[in-house]
Amino acid sequence: MKSRLTFLFFLSLLFLLSGCFEIIEEVNVNADGSGTLVLTFNGNQSKDQLDKALTKDSIYNIKIPKRKDIDAAIQEVSNKLKSVKGISNVVITRDYNTYILVIKCSFSNTTALNSAINNIWLLYDKKTPADRKYFSFTQNSYQRIFDHTLLKHAKAKLGSQERDILSKSNYTTIYRFQTEIISSSNKQATLSKSKKAIILKNNILDIVTGNKSIENNIKLK
Amino acid sequence: MRDSLQKFCSLLFIYTLAFISIIYTEATAQDLLKLIPANSSGVVSMNGEGFFKKIDLEQINRLEMFQDMDERTQGKKGDRYQEYSKLYKAPTSLGLNIHSNSYIFFGNLVDTTEYGMRYTYTGLTMSLIKSSKFENFIKKVSDQKPVKLGAYKFCRIETGAIVAWNKKQLMVLSISGFGEDKEEILLKQLKQLINQSVNESIKSNKNFMATQSQSFDFNYWMNFESTMNGLLPVSYMTLPIFKDLPFIGADFYKGYFFDVNLNFNNGDISIDGKQTLSDESSKKMKDIYGKGLNPEFVKYLHKDHLLGLYSYSINMKGLKPMLDTALADSVKDQINEGFIGLLYDAKIKKDTKVNKLQLEIDSMYTDLYPAYKYDTTAYTDYADYDTSYYQDDYYESDTTAIDEEQITEDYVDTSDVEMEYYEDSTYTDSYSKEDSIFNAKNDRIDAKRKELDDRKKVLLQAKVKELNLKKDFLFDLFQGDAIGAITDYYWIDKKYKTFDYDEENLKPIEVEKTKKEIFPEFFAGFTLNNTVEAKKFLASLTKDSFLLKKNTYYIIPGEQKLFVSISNNLLLITNNEVIVNENFKGYSEKERISNDLQATLLHKTSAFHINIKDVFAKLPYDNMSREKQAMYSLLASSFGTLSATSDPYITNISKSDMSLSLTNKIDNSFYEIFRIINEVYKMNRNKF
């Protein structure tokens, strides 16, 4: 339950309070397929609503966790990540003044990264398959895989308020490589000046409803 | 949303259908009324003749949302679609009398078994032009054959619903509630209704029959005594606790009726209501209801700055003795006492810093103030104190001394987990064998980590004092009339942190941006009974800086400042700096709200008014999505005002009215409401 809160606490609060947020998924990939993942949740735009919510026990009959519960849940995620072979340097920082949460870790290869994400999903949904792939890397190709069925439950539960919030919230993916990018399958993605990094920004409603995808096949030099 | 809209539309169609009748003779309506029992808790009367002169069913059917609904009905009903669709396309072809009064009624049933189950049921009565056509329709859509019941035939149309008809009229009955015998009960009720005498019918109720001579498209009539009997068994209502409560006791509801007339005019929808109380009950209400608002308040309402208001006038002197004598202590405390704050003394076993944020004690919804900073004796004239103790555990630090990365499956013995899986069936409830074993192993690892966790828990104890305003002080303070108004919007630029990305490598750079945050500008006022005590109370709150004194008024400190003032015998609270800067003198007569609205506030016991057009037109459209802009523009251009008022009790009758004005004065408001809903539907149709 606590783990579930880790992921959903801020989101559910924002849904309750009509806030908005952004999530940034950054992956720096080395030539051998190892790298670092930085996942940033930024709820600063809804700071006032979150400040108020945290002083309450419940809103609309939904229990609001205490900070110590949130901290315990973050600790559980940290433990889970650390227990995955090939994952190291796990650092989770959270700032209750800014409501910016950052999860950082190093991975030895995309298999370890996939395993780490699956472990986190399992905290939330124990029925989710443990072998799902999110990233794949070969020498000249990097793939961000996105299975839309993961979000089908979320889509089914969307009310008009949730839609409004998600339409104002963004999910950004940034991938950086040691070599230049030749092409990418997702035409909405934009290359950096150095051509070694690529960014894709979508509003979350489009992702949840399936209108847009974060899937991308990136060919490297 | 689509489902809700569909249900809403279906419901409206049912009502519309119920309308679709013409009064051939007065006797037809009288026959229908004879089928409605005298103990009905409510009756909806529908004036089909008047209503169908105003609306065009074909025009409504052409709206996209109904065309979509028709398409979905086609998919659902298959071969039976043609017959079903006649219900809303050509009801006369089914033999329904489309220019007649028809009625929907509600009632309660108690079965006669030892359990005495309670059911609620709904009935519909409508006259027929040609019963053979209706019978053909029923035969085509029902799987059951009609059965004879005297002059009537009846047929089950779905679980818990039957339809019965004779040559002149039909009756539909449906029952809700649990129990296997409910259809048997429903059939018994049907037999009783078609055989009941005039005295057993609603025709014997003079209050109801008086409603039938009024002018309406729809009338809803409610019998409170029957309704309350349906909510609670009669035996409960005779218990002393209910009997003694003035608003809940069974006696209060004897002879208590309420009816409203709903009329769809061109350009507005009006709802006129009337409450009728017994002489005994109306005496009690007369003591409580005030005669209107203090005229001084209108000074603070500007004609161009009013989004909405609510005013009421009750007599505190009339209310207090009633609450004192009739209500149980626990209820009385809830109503009378105003909760104003919590002070705490924290005691910690360990030498750990404790601040307000750490003191998160369950069930506390208000700000906490460290007791040592305040003089808790300052408010003894106005407040009572309740002292209680709370305690909670905290970890001293966030991290454990153990390296949790090492506590893995290799470290913890999980070799017997698979065996445990076979022995313990709880693992097999909802997960696969693999998942169950995986979870069991993780549980074992987590337990080991907890065992090695060397973090120390800190016990935090706090003595908390609750300050509650004294009830006698509160009742003495106010006369009982008050007003709250949202006068306008204002917005401030709010800074927030987000990320931009450098062009070279897309590295996130934290940046500060601004957004507009919208707040309501408001004004609230209360007439004081004891101005001297009120002034003393406000002054006492400055001692601990709960209020800050400035010139002749006070400021409630905070991010958004609130201003409080006592002007003559008025307590005024606002965040409108124009009112404050004018030293609470108010607006000139020319600037004030219209004379009509002023008169309403001054002579009605309660008044509610929303300027729907301005509520949506005055919003800042700059930062809105196009969809929202379109939606708000539609609402701003379609609606005028919504107002409601209620009169004081002068006799044993109190009248109330509500009116919704629409911008379109050409089409009938019934169609116009559907047109607006249809526009909203079209805006959102692609999202589904």
Side-chain angles (χ1 to χ4, degrees):
Chain A
M1 185 61 194
K2 282 179 181 173
S3 309
R4 185 178 173 143
L5 285 172
T6 308
F7 295 103
L8 300 181
F9 166 66
F10 287 111
L11 291 181
S12 56
L13 266 189
L14 290 167
F15 283 137
L16 291 172
L17 301 163
S18 297
C20 57
F21 59 95
E22 64 180 327
I23 298 171
I24 306 164
E25 171 190 302
E26 281 176 87
V27 185
N28 300 300
V29 188
N30 300 323
D32 63 354
S34 66
T36 56
L37 167 76
V38 184
L39 199 60
T40 305
F41 169 87
N42 179 8
N44 191 254
Q45 235 189 111
S46 307
K47 180 178 163 23
D48 288 351
Q49 291 99 315
L50 289 166
D51 277 345
K52 278 176 199 157
L54 278 170
T55 64
K56 300 199 184 307
D57 258 21
S58 64
I59 297 176
Y60 304 136
N61 291 327
I62 294 176
K63 191 172 160 48
I64 305 297
K66 308 286 178 203
R67 285 189 186 183
K68 62 175 181 173
D69 297 329
I70 300 164
D71 287 344
I74 288 172
Q75 191 65 43
E76 198 173 353
V77 171
S78 173
N79 291 342
K80 203 52 102 178
L81 282 173
K82 286 173 182 173
S83 70
V84 177
K85 281 178 187 171
I87 297 291
S88 57
N89 303 322
V90 177
V91 179
I92 301 181
T93 57
R94 72 278 196 191
D95 184 338
Y96 289 114
N97 289 320
T98 59
Y99 294 103
I100 297 177
L101 171 82
V102 182
I103 302 173
K104 285 183 188 173
C105 68
S106 301
F107 56 89
S108 57
N109 51 48
T110 50
T111 309
L113 185 56
N114 289 331
S115 178
I117 297 171
N118 278 323
N119 270 290
I120 304 301
W121 265 113
L122 278 166
L123 288 173
Y124 165 61
D125 179 7
K126 295 203 170 181
K127 288 180 180 174
T128 201
D131 56 353
R132 204 185 282 270
K133 276 188 177 180
Y134 303 92
F135 299 94
S136 144
F137 180 74
T138 60
Q139 203 177 354
N140 298 318
S141 157
Y142 176 86
Q143 202 179 359
R144 176 63 164 100
I145 301 151
F146 178 63
D147 183 358
H148 188 258
T149 56
L150 259 179
L151 300 172
K152 67 180 177 188
H153 295 300
K155 186 185 171 184
K157 287 178 184 172
L158 285 184
S160 58
Q161 196 180 1
E162 285 89 347
R163 283 174 175 275
D164 185 44
I165 292 158
L166 291 182
S167 68
K168 292 185 291 188
S169 302
N170 291 319
Y171 194 96
T172 304
T173 61
I174 301 168
Y175 307 119
R176 299 190 193 88
F177 305 94
Q178 302 289 324
T179 54
E180 287 185 8
I181 295 163
I182 302 170
S183 67
S184 75
S185 63
N186 196 320
K187 298 301 169 202
Q188 289 180 315
T190 312
L191 273 182
S192 70
K193 250 185 183 176
S194 67
K195 295 188 178 172
K196 288 181 180 175
I198 190 163
I199 186 169
L200 178 63
K201 203 170 184 177
N202 279 315
N203 84 51
I204 299 180
L205 181 65
D206 282 342
I207 297 171
V208 175
T209 53
N211 290 338
K212 299 270 172 66
S213 173
I214 56 170
E215 195 156 287
N216 210 351
N217 291 319
I218 299 164
K219 299 285 176 207
L220 302 168
K221 224 176 197 178
Chain B
M1 184 172 174
R2 185 174 62 184
D3 284 350
S4 316
L5 205 59
Q6 195 177 345
K7 276 179 195 166
F8 175 68
C9 296
S10 308
L11 196 67
L12 274 174
F13 262 115
I14 290 169
Y15 278 94
T16 307
L17 270 180
F19 261 122
I20 303 173
S21 324
I22 298 172
I23 300 174
Y24 278 160
T25 63
E26 178 62 18
T28 310
Q30 295 299 318
D31 286 348
L32 292 176
L33 290 175
K34 191 176 161 285
L35 293 170
I36 301 171
N39 64 356
S40 296
S41 54
V43 181
V44 178
S45 306
M46 294 153 286
N47 173 4
E49 186 187 25
F51 182 70
F52 273 94
K53 279 180 185 166
K54 298 177 179 179
I55 68 145
D56 180 351
L57 201 55
E58 278 184 30
Q59 188 187 26
I60 293 174
N61 270 313
R62 281 197 296 273
L63 295 170
E64 283 83 351
M65 65 180 189
F66 288 115
Q67 287 181 4
D68 286 359
M69 191 186 79
D70 184 46
E71 209 171 284
R72 286 193 292 277
T73 307
Q74 196 167 1
K76 274 183 193 170
K77 299 294 179 189
D79 296 344
R80 290 174 174 176
Y81 161 73
Q82 288 298 343
E83 287 303 313
Y84 268 108
S85 64
K86 284 177 190 169
L87 274 171
Y88 49 87
K89 285 181 178 172
T92 46
S93 67
L94 301 178
L96 298 171
N97 194 339
I98 67 162
H99 288 273
S100 166
N101 271 18
S102 42
Y103 304 91
I104 293 173
F105 56 96
F106 312 97
N108 303 292
L109 292 172
V110 182
D111 74 7
T112 50
T113 65
E114 57 183 309
Y115 304 111
M117 295 279 286
R118 278 175 178 269
Y119 300 96
T120 56
Y121 76 100
T122 305
L124 162 71
T125 58
M126 183 187 282
S127 58
L128 293 169
I129 301 169
K130 201 161 188 179
S131 62
S132 58
K133 283 186 180 178
F134 182 70
E135 190 167 325
N136 277 339
F137 167 69
I138 291 295
K139 281 176 183 169
K140 283 177 187 170
V141 297
S142 174
D143 296 324
Q144 286 205 339
K145 281 187 176 176
V147 178
K148 274 203 160 191
L149 182 67
Y152 282 81
K153 288 179 182 174
F154 75 93
C155 182
R156 176 180 173 275
I157 42 178
E158 58 180 63
T159 310
I162 50 176
V163 56
W165 65 97
N166 64 9
K167 288 193 171 176
K168 291 196 292 184
Q169 59 215 24
L170 71 87
M171 176 155 62
V172 179
L173 289 180
S174 72
I175 190 167
S176 62
F178 299 101
E180 289 172 5
D181 57 346
K182 62 183 186 182
E183 291 200 8
E184 201 180 306
I185 291 170
L186 197 60
L187 187 58
K188 194 177 159 193
Q189 181 67 4
L190 173 69
K191 287 176 186 169
Q192 189 175 318
L193 293 181
I194 59 182
N195 291 315
Q196 72 188 358
S197 68
V198 170
N199 282 340
E200 290 167 322
S201 79
I202 197 75
K203 291 173 79 171
S204 64
N205 188 308
K206 285 180 185 170
N207 188 279
F208 172 79
M209 291 309 284
T211 67
Q212 297 301 294
S213 58
Q214 298 175 141
S215 166
F216 58 80
D217 290 332
F218 289 85
N219 173 276
Y220 177 62
W221 175 87
M222 187 174 170
N223 180 341
F224 276 87
E225 191 178 358
S226 298
T227 304
M228 291 306 288
N229 286 343
L231 293 175
L232 281 173
V234 177
S235 55
Y236 282 33
M237 297 295 286
T238 58
L239 289 173
I241 186 170
F242 288 110
K243 204 177 172 186
D244 291 344
L245 298 178
F247 307 117
I248 304 175
D251 288 347
F252 186 79
Y253 293 102
K254 273 185 185 159
Y256 185 176
F257 304 106
F258 177 67
D259 81 277
V260 285
N261 294 320
L262 170 62
N263 280 293
F264 292 97
N265 310 312
N266 285 17
D268 77 78
I269 297 168
S270 69
I271 302 171
D272 302 316
K274 189 177 76 203
Q275 273 188 93
T276 310
L277 287 173
S278 66
D279 291 345
E280 187 67 24
S281 299
S282 66
K283 273 182 202 164
K284 291 177 181 176
M285 296 303 281
K286 279 177 202 169
D287 289 341
I288 298 170
Y289 272 52
K291 300 277 188 290
L293 192 71
N294 187 330
E296 287 293 304
F297 287 125
V298 296
K299 285 199 297 193
Y300 303 100
L301 299 170
H302 193 285
K303 61 181 177 183
D304 297 328
H305 297 281
L306 182 65
L307 299 182
L309 63 79
Y310 175 68
S311 73
Y312 66 84
S313 168
I314 55 171
N315 181 359
M316 292 289 268
K317 281 183 183 161
L319 185 65
K320 186 171 181 289
M322 193 171 290
L323 290 177
D324 276 346
T325 54
L327 290 186
D329 279 347
S330 57
V331 182
K332 195 162 59 184
D333 287 347
Q334 290 285 323
I335 293 171
N336 290 359
E337 293 187 359
F339 182 76
I340 61 169
L342 290 165
L343 302 171
Y344 74 87
D345 285 318
K347 290 177 185 173
I348 293 72
K349 271 191 177 175
K350 280 270 177 183
D351 187 20
T352 306
K353 281 183 185 173
V354 174
N355 58 37
K356 191 174 156 187
L357 295 175
Q358 278 173 289
L359 194 70
E360 294 175 321
I361 298 169
D362 287 346
S363 308
M364 290 194 181
Y365 299 95
T366 188
D367 283 343
L368 293 158
Y369 306 101
Y372 64 88
K373 284 189 180 176
Y374 299 97
D375 175 7
T376 53
T377 60
Y379 314 105
T380 44
D381 285 349
Y382 317 109
D384 292 322
Y385 295 90
D386 285 333
T387 305
S388 39
Y389 294 88
Y390 293 90
Q391 66 177 45
D392 210 345
D393 291 333
Y394 290 87
Y395 281 112
E396 265 186 336
S397 60
D398 287 341
T399 53
T400 63
I402 56 164
D403 182 356
E404 288 174 325
E405 195 173 359
Q406 287 179 14
I407 316 298
T408 62
E409 201 177 323
D410 301 335
Y411 184 92
V412 181
D413 180 12
T414 56
S415 57
D416 58 339
V417 162
E418 195 152 341
M419 186 61 75
E420 193 181 305
Y421 162 75
Y422 288 112
E423 287 172 359
D424 186 351
S425 62
T426 57
Y427 282 119
T428 64
D429 281 353
S430 53
Y431 304 124
S432 66
K433 178 185 170 185
E434 289 75 20
D435 284 349
S436 300
I437 291 171
F438 179 82
N439 293 339
K441 283 181 178 176
N442 275 343
D443 288 348
R444 196 75 67 88
I445 292 166
D446 285 346
K448 189 68 185 174
R449 283 176 178 155
K450 264 185 194 163
E451 187 187 318
L452 296 174
D453 187 346
D454 69 343
R455 283 178 297 170
K456 295 276 189 307
K457 276 191 174 177
V458 176
L459 180 68
L460 172 69
Q461 294 176 319
K463 188 172 90 177
V464 177
K465 283 184 173 179
E466 288 183 19
L467 275 74
N468 296 300
L469 288 178
K470 288 179 179 173
K471 55 183 177 293
D472 288 342
F473 169 65
L474 269 179
F475 271 92
D476 182 50
L477 201 60
F478 300 109
Q479 281 196 8
D481 65 316
I483 182 167
I486 304 293
T487 50
D488 217 328
Y489 298 120
Y490 72 96
W491 41 89
I492 56 169
D493 286 335
K494 196 93 183 170
K495 287 180 179 166
Y496 67 96
K497 285 178 180 171
T498 183
F499 296 94
D500 278 346
Y501 305 93
D502 85 315
E503 291 184 354
E504 189 65 25
N505 275 315
L506 302 174
K507 196 179 169 191
I509 305 158
E510 199 174 283
V511 291
E512 204 168 67
K513 292 188 177 175
T514 52
K515 63 171 182 172
K516 278 189 172 25
E517 222 162 75
I518 190 164
F519 295 94
E521 185 186 87
F522 77 93
F523 161 78
F526 308 82
T527 302
L528 291 165
N529 178 55
N530 191 335
T531 312
V532 176
E533 277 302 307
K535 281 182 176 172
K536 275 205 263 179
F537 177 60
L538 292 189
S540 77
L541 291 173
T542 58
K543 192 175 175 185
D544 287 323
S545 302
F546 290 122
L547 287 183
L548 307 174
K549 180 101 168 87
K550 189 178 178 186
N551 301 330
T552 56
Y553 56 87
Y554 297 92
I555 299 170
I556 301 175
E559 199 179 0
Q560 309 295 321
K561 281 180 187 165
L562 297 178
F563 303 93
V564 182
S565 176
I566 294 178
S567 174
N568 296 324
N569 65 337
L570 308 181
L571 174 68
L572 308 166
I573 305 170
T574 185
N575 59 358
N576 183 345
E577 295 200 19
V578 175
I579 293 178
V580 178
N581 292 336
E582 291 292 325
N583 216 11
F584 290 89
K585 283 181 184 165
Y587 299 108
S588 68
E589 281 189 27
K590 280 183 183 174
E591 292 173 306
R592 292 176 198 169
I593 51 170
S594 69
N595 289 338
D596 283 352
L597 188 52
Q598 285 189 33
T600 300
L601 295 176
L602 303 189
H603 300 297
K604 301 286 181 178
T605 291
S606 68
F608 172 74
H609 176 88
I610 298 182
N611 185 340
I612 302 174
K613 183 185 172 184
D614 280 0
V615 164
F616 292 106
K618 285 193 170 186
L619 283 166
Y621 279 53
D622 315 353
N623 294 341
M624 266 183 219
S625 64
R626 279 184 190 174
E627 290 89 349
K628 251 189 181 169
Q629 281 185 24
M631 174 83 81
Y632 291 160
S633 296
L634 170 74
L635 297 172
S637 61
S638 303
F639 292 103
T641 58
L642 173 67
S643 8
T645 62
S646 67
D647 287 355
Y649 273 92
I650 293 167
T651 61
N652 64 339
I653 291 173
S654 165
K655 289 185 176 175
S656 56
D657 64 74
M658 182 183 278
S659 171
L660 173 66
S661 74
L662 301 163
T663 310
N664 180 352
K665 308 288 182 198
I666 298 164
D667 292 312
N668 181 267
S669 53
F670 186 83
Y671 169 75
E672 179 61 5
I673 284 290
F674 275 117
R675 188 197 65 77
I676 296 165
I677 296 170
N678 189 56
E679 290 302 314
V680 176
Y681 173 79
K682 282 197 291 184
M683 284 178 198
N684 293 286
R685 188 159 53 163
N686 296 334
K687 290 184 183 173
F688 304 116

